[in-house]
């Protein structure tokens, strides 16, 4: 009987668990594409969502705004490639929000103690704040600017903690 109740509870909770890393597209302007983890590329519209392994690609003069269930807002600028990923670090699975090229603005309404990792091809940043921007250049350069809160940025074995109105 207990196993039946546990199985039923898991069945009820499964949709919440399986979509925990979902980001809903709440705004799209211009040409915004959604590339699924299986390689399929489709035009993205308001109401669509991306999951771990999916990529948002914005064209020239295009924008996308995503919202995560945690309350985080992600604004993807024109000519940007942004991906939701998952990595294992120290035996623990962690969410990664990766900007391959372009600019993304992040705003976290509340911190839960297990914030995502922010990455570009050249840096890894740990969120310790609420609002910041990441710019990833085609030449491999990265710029992180903090509006409010704190962000720890790691590159080439060096870590710098940024406070409001600081960048690296």
């Amino acid at each position: 009987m207990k196993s039946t109740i546990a199985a039923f509870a898991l069945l009820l909770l499964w949709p919440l668990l399986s979509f925990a890393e979902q980001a809903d597209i709440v705004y799209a302007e211009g040409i915004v594409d959604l590339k699924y983890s299986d390689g399929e590329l489709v035009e993205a519209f308001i109401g669509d969502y991306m999951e771990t392994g999916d990529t948002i690609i914005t064209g020239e003069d295009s924008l996308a705004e995503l919202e995560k269930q945690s309350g985080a807002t992600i604004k993807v600028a024109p000519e940007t490639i942004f991906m939701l990923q998952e990595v294992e670090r120290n035996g623990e699975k962690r969410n990664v929000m990766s900007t391959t090229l372009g600019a993304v603005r992040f705003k976290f309404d509340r911190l839960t103690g297990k914030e995502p990792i922010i990455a570009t091809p050249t840096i890894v940043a740990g969120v310790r704040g609420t609002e910041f921007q990441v710019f990833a250049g085609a030449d491999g350069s990265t710029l992180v600017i903090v509006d409010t809160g704190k962000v720890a940025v790691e590159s080439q074995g060096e870590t710098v903690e940024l406070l409001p109105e600081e960048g690296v």
Side-chain angles (χ1 to χ4, degrees):
M1 180 69 172
K2 286 184 183 179
S3 63
T4 304
I5 294 171
F8 183 72
L10 182 60
L11 185 61
L12 288 176
L13 293 174
W14 185 254
L16 297 174
L17 297 172
S18 63
F19 295 111
E21 303 317 315
Q22 175 178 308
D24 298 318
I25 300 171
V26 296
Y27 182 78
E29 180 179 312
I31 299 171
V32 178
D33 290 322
L34 176 57
K35 184 176 181 183
Y36 294 112
S37 59
D38 66 4
E40 180 185 6
L41 184 67
V42 299
E43 186 174 355
F45 295 99
I46 295 170
D48 289 344
Y49 61 89
M50 64 185 297
E51 294 182 25
T52 301
D54 295 346
T55 303
I56 288 286
I57 304 166
T58 55
E60 186 177 358
D61 300 323
S62 300
L63 306 168
E65 186 171 321
L66 312 169
E67 284 184 2
K68 292 189 55 113
Q69 293 171 338
S70 64
T73 302
I74 305 157
K75 294 183 179 181
V76 184
E79 299 182 314
T80 297
I81 301 170
F82 173 77
M83 179 183 227
L84 291 179
Q85 299 174 299
E86 186 177 78
V87 297
E88 191 168 321
R89 258 187 149 174
N90 303 327
E92 181 181 14
K93 289 188 178 185
R94 296 287 308 269
N95 299 315
V96 178
M97 296 184 191
S98 181
T99 305
T100 305
L101 179 69
V104 178
R105 175 182 284 273
F106 298 92
K107 182 178 181 182
F108 293 89
D109 288 337
R110 60 185 181 273
L111 297 178
T112 62
K114 195 171 182 182
E115 309 319 322
I117 298 167
I118 308 300
T120 72
T122 57
I123 66 105
V124 175
V127 178
R128 290 173 179 60
T130 56
E131 193 167 350
F132 59 100
Q133 299 174 70
V134 175
F135 302 91
D139 62 356
S141 62
T142 299
L143 173 63
V144 178
I145 300 173
V146 177
D147 297 321
T148 61
K150 294 181 196 175
V151 176
V153 179
E154 179 185 325
S155 180
Q156 299 178 352
E158 299 284 329
T159 302
V160 176
E161 191 166 281
L162 302 174
L163 299 172
E165 299 182 20
E166 292 183 337
V168 66

